[in-house]
Amino acid sequence: MSDSLHHLIETPLASELVYDGKIVHLYKDTVTLPNGQPALREVIRHVGAVCVVPLTDEGEVVCVRQFRYPHAKVLLEIPAGKLDSKEEDRPAAALRELREETGARCEKLTPLGQLLTTPAFVDEVIDMYLAEGLTFGDTDPDEDEFLDVVRIPLEDMVDMILRGDVTDAKTQAAVLKVWAMKQKKGDAPCSNE
């Protein structure tokens, strides 16, 4: 961290585990603010996750529809999943989730960067990938996963995101990154042509 940002840094003093769940771990931390005053921070610790934009040779994004309990509705998302541990190899986890949720394997996996999902109170980091050169086999979802696999042209996905029809943050970020990459390379049709 550069010295010019030091005036923004909060210093941790103590951390207390409040809830230790299967997916989230809630901590109550005491910090010292940059002005020297103490403050409380509630932080959800998460092992991390991966997500993948599977793009077919025909320019379709392979997505999943699944019910998301916290929002009580079915969402359209790209394949994604929680890491088994913080040390798990991210590309390997991405390939696992791609195969389990869509049945796809890929020839080329390109990193798209990381997404901080809710940085105000959750430390989850999602590593995003683009998968190309797809071949398809059987899906193998987790026992508690119920998914419909759908294919949507990349340009249509971008339009759906811009209209607000796709509300999942990781899907928005990763698909828009892929669209921007393809536009820069001249690989994607421009929607205003």
Side-chain angles (χ1 to χ4, degrees), residues 83-149:
L83 297 173
D84 290 336
S85 73
K86 282 205 180 265
E87 294 77 32
E88 184 175 10
D89 181 75
R90 273 50 175 185
L95 295 172
R96 177 192 69 226
E97 293 300 326
L98 176 65
R99 182 189 53 75
E100 286 179 0
E101 294 189 7
T102 69
R105 298 186 192 299
C106 71
E107 293 175 7
K108 182 178 178 188
L109 190 68
T110 305
L112 297 174
Q114 295 183 323
L115 175 68
L116 306 181
T117 58
T118 314
F121 62 91
V122 178
D123 75 349
E124 179 184 30
V125 176
I126 298 179
D127 287 88
M128 301 180 291
Y129 295 91
L130 166 63
E132 297 174 288
L134 304 178
T135 55
F136 291 90
D138 293 332
T139 62
D140 185 24
D142 294 335
E143 288 181 7
D144 62 350
E145 266 185 324
F146 300 91
L147 310 168
D148 284 342
V149 178

Side-chain angles (χ1 to χ4, degrees), residues 158-168 172:
V158 170
D159 290 342
M160 292 170 71
I161 290 168
L162 295 177
R163 279 195 314 265
D165 296 339
V166 177
T167 55
D168 176 60
Q172 289 183 8

Side-chain angles (χ1 to χ4, degrees), residues 2-52:
S2 80
D3 288 338
S4 65
L5 299 177
H6 187 69
H7 67 284
L8 301 173
I9 305 301
E10 298 178 3
T11 306
L13 297 175
S15 185
E16 174 190 353
L17 179 62
V18 176
Y19 175 75
D20 194 25
K22 179 180 174 186
I23 297 175
V24 299
H25 314 280
L26 175 60
Y27 286 82
K28 184 168 65 172
D29 291 1
T30 305
V31 301
T32 300
L33 299 174
N35 65 3
Q37 296 297 311
L40 289 178
R41 297 287 182 249
E42 293 175 344
V43 180
I44 296 174
R45 305 268 181 221
H46 186 280
V47 71
V50 293
C51 68
V52 186

